[in-house]
Amino acid sequence: MASNSDSLYNVLTKLQHHPELVITSVVQYQNTVTLFFKDSVPVADASHYFPNGHLIVNRLSADFVAKNGALLDDYYLMTAQGHPGYHDVWVTTSHLVSNQAYMLELSYE
C-alpha cells in the first residue's frame, strides 16, 4: 500500500465532511480511532486498500503526515488522548464483506 495514498486521503476527507457515512467509530485504545463505513462509499482501488477479510497495516509517510496534519489532527481528537502530539500514524484497513463495511483504523504514536 502506498502510505501517502490519494485514496486514503480522499476517504478520510469524505468521512470528515460527511460523518453520516460512518456507521460507527470505536476508541478501543487511547491512541487509536477505528471507523466503520458502508462499502457502498466509493473508494479508488478499493480492493487494494481494503482487501476482503484481510488486514493491511502501514505507517503513513512523514510527508503524508506533514502535508495532511490538520486532517489527521481532527481524527486524533476522536481518541482518548487530548491535544495532538504524535510523530507517526499507522493505518489499518480491511473490507468486512459480511458486514458490507470498510474498516479504517488510525493509530497515533
Side-chain angles (χ1 to χ4, degrees), residues 79-94:
T79 71
Q81 291 288 319
H83 185 70
Y86 55 88
H87 299 284
D88 293 315
V89 181
W90 293 80
V91 61
T92 304
T93 56
S94 184

Side-chain angles (χ1 to χ4, degrees), residues 1 43-54 56 93-95 102:
M1 173 191 300
V43 176
D45 298 320
S47 62
H48 178 74
Y49 294 103
F50 295 88
N52 293 340
H54 296 282
I56 292 183
T93 56
S94 184
H95 181 204
Y102 291 129

Side-chain angles (χ1 to χ4, degrees), residues 1 8 11 23 34-57 91-105:
M1 173 191 300
L8 292 176
V11 167
I23 298 167
T34 307
L35 306 170
F36 297 93
F37 58 101
K38 293 183 181 185
D39 62 6
S40 58
V41 173
V43 176
D45 298 320
S47 62
H48 178 74
Y49 294 103
F50 295 88
N52 293 340
H54 296 282
L55 296 173
I56 292 183
V57 181
V91 61
T92 304
T93 56
S94 184
H95 181 204
L96 308 173
V97 179
S98 62
N99 294 61
Q100 298 178 318
Y102 291 129
M103 186 226 33
L104 186 151
E105 179 179 83

Side-chain angles (χ1 to χ4, degrees), residues 6-27:
D6 287 340
S7 289
L8 292 176
Y9 170 80
N10 290 337
V11 167
L12 290 169
T13 301
K14 182 155 192 106
L15 296 178
Q16 178 189 41
H17 293 280
H18 298 282
E20 71 276 7
L21 297 174
V22 175
I23 298 167
T24 188
S25 61
V26 177
V27 178

Side-chain angles (χ1 to χ4, degrees), residues 4 60-68:
N4 57 351
L60 295 175
S61 70
D63 289 342
F64 185 94
V65 173
K67 182 179 176 183
N68 301 296

